[in-house]
Amino acid sequence: MFERVRKVSDEVMDPRFRVVRDEHVHQATRRLMDETFAAFHGADRSFVREFQTGGFSPRVLELALFAAFQEQGHVLERTGGAPDFLIGGLHPVAVEATTSNPAQSAFAAGLELTPQDPHPPVPEDLEDAEAEFVLQCAKALRRKLEKRDAQGRSYWQQPHVEGRPFVIALESFHHLSALFHTVGPLASYLYGRRDVAARDGHGVLVLTSEEITEHRHGDTVIPSGLFARPEAAHLSAVVFSNSATVAKFHRMGTERGYGPDDVALLRYGTLPDPDPNADRPVERVYVVSDYSPEEHETFSEGFHVLHNPWARVPVPDGVFSGMTEHRLQGDGLVLTTAERPDFFASHTAVLHAPHARAAARVYAARYLAASRAST
């Protein structure tokens, strides 16, 4: 894909595309993206141009989704058009991808996250940032639910979609810190419920659930519980990710040996603690490729399937194998199932030096020592 791109002017070129295209450290990223795109038949004619300009993040999301569906063994009847993906086979599904995006003024000012700074900063005001995250995700989802074609038909009314589960895949890019947010706040908005954690008299962690009626950000108020609302009856599920990014392609390309010897990647972040009595996540750090092949990252990792319990056409369990699945239970709690632990959020540090792998291992050891000392 990088060899086939048509040159666009610097005024409209996304700086993130320029970095991935030109920087030595992104050799593995380019090769894996090229391999993925080569199999991505039927992509929109505008895909390559938008990948270079204002549509960079949505196109990376689409590439990662396509790779995940291939990885899961799905037969794609169609890619591109409306919706973006038609999955065939025993459990046909229609998937439309979307993102929350910054204002054009922010893009023009170069305020978006770039591959040189591949991890989202922690918001200064976490409560406000989370409220904005929910609002922006809600806007992105509603745009798709309300969209109609020239004949006035919604996605699920299209002849090639009718009768299939309709799914919206979502990732947030509206702010520098947008990727910091995990699936939890989005689940609260979709289900209209919030988990409440407390300790009983014996110190055991007890989870209950409370109803949420609305979400506020500034002067904006939106109703909660999108899944239960009539306009979402045809929305079978939402697939969310905060890691379908350049960093994922960089890590997975490095795992396959596509990167130069003087570049190493260090990934660190937080994972769920399997202890049911734990109220804090587990810190993890590793040097990419420093583990056995069965532990290698997959494209499906980092994607979360939030099922709509009120959908007219539900998505059967296990259709998106390898993705973490969430279902609302009768007690109001959300049951989460995953094939293996998945990061809440992670950072990927890039080291470029003659002995980069050795240096990365030193940094990993220091990070682990520091995290243990703080607990």
Side-chain angles (χ1 to χ4, degrees):
M1 176 169 56
F2 287 93
E3 296 176 356
R4 294 171 51 187
V5 296
R6 296 180 180 177
K7 188 175 181 180
V8 298
S9 66
D10 289 343
E11 288 76 16
V12 297
M13 182 179 290
D14 192 305
R16 296 166 299 181
F17 169 80
R18 185 184 297 108
V19 170
V20 175
R21 182 195 64 184
D22 296 342
E23 294 294 332
H24 169 75
V25 297
H26 278 289
Q27 179 177 308
T29 313
R30 289 191 294 272
R31 181 170 171 184
L32 184 54
M33 282 186 167
D34 278 337
E35 285 186 359
T36 305
F37 185 74
F40 195 12
H41 305 298
D44 289 343
R45 294 179 180 179
S46 59
F47 187 101
V48 173
R49 178 177 175 81
E50 291 177 359
F51 181 71
Q52 299 176 78
T53 54
F56 180 84
S57 294
R59 299 300 165 246
V60 173
L61 170 61
E62 286 182 37
L63 274 182
L65 277 169
F66 171 76
F69 296 152
Q70 275 200 317
E71 180 180 85
Q72 294 163 11
H74 288 302
V75 175
L76 292 172
E77 297 177 357
R78 170 176 168 180
T79 56
D84 295 308
F85 301 97
L86 282 182
I87 296 174
L90 292 175
H91 300 293
V93 180
V95 182
E96 174 68 8
T98 192
T99 57
S100 66
N101 302 305
Q104 281 300 112
S105 57
F107 172 75
L111 297 181
E112 289 186 303
L113 199 65
T114 71
Q116 296 134 306
D117 179 23
H119 58 269
V122 178
E124 293 183 5
D125 185 335
L126 185 57
E127 184 176 345
D128 181 76
E130 186 174 289
E132 182 186 15
F133 166 77
V134 171
L135 178 64
Q136 293 295 337
C137 286
K139 287 171 61 177
L141 292 172
R142 287 185 173 278
R143 279 197 300 269
K144 293 300 181 180
L145 292 177
E146 295 169 1
K147 185 174 180 179
R148 299 294 183 267
D149 65 9
Q151 288 74 45
R153 298 175 302 191
S154 59
Y155 285 105
W156 52 88
Q157 292 173 326
Q158 302 285 337
H160 53 284
V161 177
E162 199 166 6
R164 301 178 187 236
F166 172 66
V167 174
I168 299 177
L170 170 68
E171 191 162 13
S172 57
F173 294 99
H174 56 271
H175 190 271
L176 282 172
S177 65
L179 293 173
F180 173 84
H181 301 287
T182 63
V183 70
L186 175 62
S188 295
Y189 165 67
L190 294 175
Y191 294 120
R193 309 289 305 185
R194 179 190 293 117
D195 289 350
V196 179
R199 299 276 180 187
D200 66 13
H202 303 285
V204 176
L205 187 69
V206 178
L207 288 178
T208 56
S209 177
E210 66 180 13
E211 183 180 2
I212 306 170
T213 59
E214 64 183 25
H215 298 269
R216 292 176 174 269
H217 180 248
D219 295 330
T220 303
V221 182
I222 60 172
S224 191
L226 175 65
F227 276 157
R229 298 184 66 82
E231 59 267 32
H234 296 278
L235 178 58
S236 304
V238 170
V239 172
F240 171 79
S241 178
N242 64 355
S243 63
T245 60
V246 167
K248 173 177 272 289
F249 282 91
H250 199 172
R251 292 191 303 267
M252 293 185 65
T254 299
E255 287 178 347
R256 300 180 188 197
Y258 294 168
D261 292 337
D262 60 350
V263 174
L265 305 183
L266 182 72
R267 188 184 190 190
Y268 57 99
T270 54
L271 291 164
D273 192 324
D275 181 354
N277 204 39
D279 57 4
R280 295 184 62 182
V282 175
E283 298 275 351
R284 189 189 175 195
V285 60
Y286 66 89
V287 177
V288 173
S289 293
D290 268 12
Y291 40 79
S292 58
E294 61 268 19
E295 293 181 289
H296 283 182
E297 186 174 356
T298 67
F299 276 108
S300 298
E301 285 180 48
F303 282 105
H304 295 254
V305 184
L306 297 107
H307 292 270
N308 183 355
W310 300 281
R312 294 186 182 178
V313 185
V315 178
D317 283 328
V319 170
F320 298 115
S321 175
M323 295 182 178
T324 299
E325 301 201 52
H326 307 265
R327 287 188 177 276
L328 185 66
Q329 303 301 291
D331 59 3
L333 294 173
V334 175
L335 175 65
T336 298
T337 56
E339 293 186 8
R340 61 182 185 179
D342 196 1
F343 280 91
F344 286 121
S346 70
H347 299 170
T348 303
V350 181
L351 287 79
H352 181 199
H355 304 288
R357 180 73 60 85
R361 290 171 181 149
V362 172
Y363 283 121
R366 290 176 180 173
Y367 179 87
L368 276 178
S371 62
R372 288 168 181 163
S374 63
T375 57

